[in-house]
Amino acid sequence: MSLYNISVAMFLVNITCVHAEQNLEPQEGDVRLFGSQNISEGRVEVYHDGKWGTVCDDNWDMTEAQVVCRQLNFPGAKSVIIGRDYGQAPGPIWLDDINCKGTEKQLATCVFKNWGETDCSHKEDVGVVCETGSIDTAISSFTHSLDHSISLSDDLGQIFDSGNGCDFRIIVRSPTGNKLHDGTLQMVETTICAHKVILSNFPLFKASVGIDNITVNISLSCQPHFTSFIRYLYTRKMDVSFSSALCVHQMASNFGIKQLKEDIGRLFSKILPDDSTFQKQVSLYKYALDTEDLILEENCVRYLAWNFENFTMSPAWTGISAELLGALLTRSDVVVPDEYFVLQSVERWISEMGNSTSLKTQFDLLSHIRFPMIPAEKLFEVESSSLLYNAHNNLYLENILKAFQFNVLLFGNLTDPKYNKQNDEYQPRIYTAEPWSAVIDLSNTKEQFLQPIRYNNRYQHGYDYRQRYTYGQSSNKFFRTPAHNSLLFKDKIIDWRAYILQSQYDCSNYGLRCESVPMARLVPENRVNLDRNILFRNQLLVMCKGQYVCQVQGFKSYMAPITTNGTQVPSYPCPDDKYTYRFVVRPEYV
């Protein structure tokens, strides 16, 4: 072997050892490239909650790749890899729809909705190839990278705990609720001694030259958590419980600690289902607005949208703001029986609010009703049953006319510019009333009672003998829908079969290769000559014990990975993992 080849080999061995050393003890937010013999290429994996997980390729481009490669100490990214097999990925898909600016030092600090929230399967795991520079250049200019920062966090924590050299006092004051003899509130105080060099990274502490103290007013219940909050600024580590989360989130918001605020905001999604009265969800929404936490705000609004029907029946409904109601009405992921239910709910809210809601606000809210999506047979009831028809006569007349025209004419015959099929009013929400959905409930079944049996399944071209498992309740269901909710398509009937494929054996019986199990499948069983403008964006609703929707999943190629399979994490938790599955057919005219 030539001296040059030996040098190259030694260089690659050294690089490999350096990267191996750095990955011995992964830390929260670390990334790695996995599944390739080339150290500069592989599937992107990120470390969170004690385990490695992958990243979906949705919305991923070179900007995100650059962040990953620089985090791994490569000069930059060379390319993004989509669809390459880097071997089995047993962990969860931690990140989806991530959006980086390109200046971030860690992938986990980019914008994303929530850890584990995804509609992807592992087939969509993203990979990258990082730049390494030429071998000749690298050999001559190679610098051995040492990274001993793993102990830095603990060292800084010890400095804070000891108080040695501290030069900035934080006086924490909290009202007890009692009044002194002069009528002022009684206050309790505690003092924390910190270091300007640490706090100077956070301008809102005002730890500048010439200033050696600051007074902070917080509630008495939050005072016990303030020391841990200051210690976090040194270590970037903190144990947060649900009882302390609100206090720490408020502190992070007050002092501009963005990443801490966003990560704790994501934790609130775990407690949103706890209150069936919806008072907590509404309070958290108001709090998110006050603290300008967009992630928490979206988590609250989305939960209310997915559980809109229960929300409208709750004690909190009549007390919500017009802003919250408007935010819900603009969304297409609102889960409701039909659009008529939305109209009735909004009318009831307006009526119960009385004169406190102006006519303009009423008009704006009613303008969000998607009248063309109201079932045709219920359009006839609007005039006679509406609570607000007379007060907003012109709005109702115009929109009812538009809805009837939608039911009897194609868009090509509607030449008026106001009939734009891209408008939200022509886009469906998630409608669950018959015949648009079917439910498979396996929440009361037990795996040990699996019984393989034979059955005949009739298809268009004879019989197909297959084996399936029964669980006491059927794991598949047949139902029929029109091709679209417009009356123009009422005679074009599609037969749908919904399945929950609970094992790889089930998948193979249907000639399928499932990336993970359980897997949901919703497939048409007959061929109908459809208008080419009709597109099905069907949805799977995962309901916890049939009580609330904890996940909404889209179908890709008739398949939807189920959030209970370890690949995905439900957006909102479900105790005991007792799930009911509702399959929703959702045609759009595009």
Side-chain angles (χ1 to χ4, degrees):
M1 180 182 290
S2 70
L3 181 61
Y4 172 80
N5 288 335
I6 291 174
S7 297
V8 171
M10 291 179 65
F11 168 74
L12 292 175
V13 168
N14 286 335
I15 288 287
T16 303
C17 290
V18 170
H19 282 269
E21 289 169 4
Q22 291 174 342
N23 287 323
L24 284 176
E25 296 184 55
Q27 300 295 300
E28 177 73 17
D30 280 356
V31 295
R32 69 182 182 183
L33 303 181
F34 192 86
S36 172
Q37 293 182 347
N38 188 341
I39 61 167
S40 62
E41 176 189 348
R43 177 175 61 234
V44 177
E45 297 190 357
V46 60
Y47 192 76
H48 170 67
D49 198 24
K51 66 181 74 171
W52 289 100
T54 62
V55 181
C56 180
D57 59 23
D58 290 353
N59 203 40
W60 182 281
D61 58 26
M62 285 295 290
T63 304
E64 288 71 34
Q66 294 285 4
V67 174
V68 168
C69 291
R70 285 200 303 270
Q71 186 176 345
L72 291 171
N73 296 318
F74 290 106
K78 184 182 294 183
S79 61
V80 173
I81 304 298
I82 305 293
R84 184 169 298 176
D85 186 3
Y86 287 110
Q88 185 176 3
I93 300 172
W94 276 136
L95 298 176
D96 188 9
D97 288 325
I98 190 166
N99 185 14
C100 299
K101 295 178 182 177
T103 57
E104 295 85 354
K105 294 181 179 180
Q106 281 197 321
L107 185 67
T109 60
C110 297
V111 176
F112 61 96
K113 288 184 179 179
N114 216 338
W115 290 101
E117 184 178 317
T118 179
D119 60 355
C120 297
S121 68
H122 277 305
K123 290 188 296 184
E124 298 162 275
D125 290 341
V126 75
V128 301
V129 178
C130 297
E131 293 178 347
T132 58
S134 69
I135 293 294
D136 290 330
T137 303
I139 290 173
S140 63
S141 63
F142 175 65
T143 300
H144 188 86
S145 176
L146 296 175
D147 184 356
H148 299 152
S149 61
I150 188 171
S151 61
L152 181 60
S153 175
D154 292 337
D155 292 343
L156 289 173
Q158 290 175 11
I159 290 174
F160 173 76
D161 295 339
S162 69
N164 292 336
C166 66
D167 55 0
F168 191 82
R169 291 186 309 126
I170 305 173
I171 303 164
V172 185
R173 304 177 75 242
S174 302
T176 65
N178 300 323
K179 289 187 176 182
L180 300 175
H181 63 276
D182 60 358
T184 60
L185 283 175
Q186 183 187 43
M187 307 291 286
V188 293
E189 288 187 2
T190 184
T191 301
I192 299 171
C193 194
H195 300 79
K196 281 188 180 182
V197 68
I198 297 294
L199 298 184
S200 61
N201 290 315
F202 309 100
L204 293 178
F205 278 97
K206 301 177 181 177
S208 55
V209 176
I211 300 177
D212 59 6
N213 69 83
I214 186 176
T215 299
V216 177
N217 294 310
I218 63 173
S219 67
L220 188 63
S221 61
C222 287
Q223 193 178 92
H225 308 297
F226 195 79
T227 300
S228 296
F229 169 68
I230 298 299
R231 194 177 195 276
Y232 165 86
L233 304 180
Y234 287 69
T235 65
R236 298 301 195 274
K237 294 179 181 178
M238 190 177 192
D239 292 328
V240 179
S241 65
F242 287 125
S243 60
S244 67
L246 193 61
C247 288
V248 177
H249 186 277
Q250 182 69 66
M251 296 170 194
S253 175
N254 290 344
F255 289 100
I257 319 300
K258 183 171 182 271
Q259 186 174 2
L260 179 62
K261 181 177 79 170
E262 289 181 351
D263 281 347
I264 294 180
R266 292 184 179 100
L267 287 178
F268 287 127
S269 65
K270 300 183 183 299
I271 62 174
L272 284 174
D274 291 349
D275 184 6
S276 60
T277 70
F278 288 88
Q279 302 286 1
K280 179 185 294 183
Q281 295 88 332
V282 174
S283 295
L284 276 175
Y285 168 77
K286 294 176 182 176
Y287 173 75
L289 292 181
D290 292 340
T291 57
E292 298 181 353
D293 188 329
L294 298 180
I295 292 176
L296 177 57
E297 179 185 343
E298 167 60 18
N299 269 333
C300 292
V301 176
R302 184 181 57 185
Y303 182 83
L304 297 174
W306 287 0
N307 295 279
F308 189 85
E309 185 174 3
N310 287 342
F311 182 34
T312 63
M313 307 298 178
S314 73
W317 173 249
T318 55
I320 68 172
S321 66
E323 290 75 19
L324 174 54
L325 181 53
L328 288 166
L329 294 176
T330 60
R331 301 175 68 102
S332 292
D333 63 346
V334 175
V335 178
V336 282
D338 55 34
E339 193 67 22
Y340 189 55
F341 179 88
V342 180
L343 173 61
Q344 289 180 310
S345 300
V346 172
E347 288 184 334
R348 181 165 59 86
W349 181 89
I350 291 173
S351 297
E352 293 186 6
M353 294 297 288
N355 295 330
S356 63
T357 306
S358 68
L359 286 176
K360 182 182 183 304
T361 299
Q362 296 177 20
F363 183 91
D364 291 342
L365 293 173
L366 291 169
S367 296
H368 289 305
I369 302 299
R370 303 179 181 185
F371 280 86
M373 295 294 104
I374 295 177
E377 64 276 10
K378 293 185 177 180
L379 282 171
F380 293 101
E381 302 176 17
V382 173
E383 181 177 358
S384 59
S385 62
S386 171
L387 301 173
L388 301 171
Y389 187 89
N390 292 330
H392 299 279
N393 183 262
N394 290 336
L395 180 146
Y396 278 86
L397 283 176
E398 180 180 342
N399 283 284
I400 291 173
L401 175 61
K402 192 182 298 184
F404 278 125
Q405 289 176 322
F406 173 77
N407 276 279
V408 296
L409 293 172
L410 289 174
F411 278 105
N413 298 321
L414 298 172
T415 57
D416 193 316
K418 67 183 178 183
Y419 297 108
N420 185 350
K421 61 186 177 184
Q422 303 302 325
N423 289 346
D424 285 344
E425 60 190 330
Y426 295 110
Q427 308 305 314
R429 304 187 202 269
I430 302 177
Y431 302 128
T432 59
E434 293 184 356
W436 299 105
S437 72
V439 174
I440 295 179
D441 183 1
L442 303 179
S443 60
N444 296 317
T445 60
K446 295 186 180 295
E447 192 171 343
Q448 59 263 37
F449 294 130
L450 284 173
Q451 294 291 332
I453 64 170
R454 291 283 178 183
Y455 77 105
N456 292 345
N457 211 6
R458 182 155 190 173
Y459 289 90
Q460 198 168 3
H461 304 293
Y463 291 86
D464 184 16
Y465 294 87
R466 296 178 178 174
Q467 190 176 57
R468 69 174 173 91
Y469 291 98
T470 59
Y471 287 71
Q473 297 191 44
S474 176
S475 58
N476 72 80
K477 186 156 290 186
F478 170 86
F479 63 109
R480 312 178 102 189
T481 71
H484 192 270
N485 61 316
S486 170
L487 288 178
L488 290 167
F489 303 97
K490 67 181 180 65
D491 295 326
K492 291 187 176 182
I493 302 299
I494 299 179
D495 297 335
W496 297 91
R497 178 72 65 176
Y499 305 85
I500 298 294
L501 303 170
Q502 300 174 82
S503 68
Q504 291 293 348
Y505 188 88
D506 285 344
C507 296
S508 61
N509 274 343
Y510 288 100
L512 302 171
R513 182 182 178 275
C514 297
E515 190 72 23
S516 59
V517 289
M519 182 75 71
R521 188 171 188 237
L522 179 60
V523 62
E525 291 198 328
N526 62 329
R527 295 185 179 274
V528 177
N529 185 21
L530 291 178
D531 188 299
R532 62 185 177 85
N533 294 109
I534 294 178
L535 178 67
F536 289 97
R537 291 194 171 100
N538 299 336
Q539 301 288 316
L540 176 72
L541 309 184
V542 182
M543 297 178 289
C544 180
K545 303 178 182 179
Q547 297 174 0
Y548 60 87
V549 178
C550 59
Q551 183 65 33
V552 175
Q553 198 85 0
F555 286 85
K556 295 182 179 180
S557 300
Y558 304 121
M559 307 282 279
I562 291 175
T563 55
T564 60
N565 62 18
T567 300
Q568 287 83 18
V569 178
S571 297
Y572 308 100
C574 178
D576 304 322
D577 295 336
K578 299 292 186 181
Y579 296 103
T580 302
Y581 305 98
R582 183 181 288 274
F583 295 75
V584 181
V585 173
R586 193 167 172 267
E588 293 185 22
Y589 199 92
V590 298

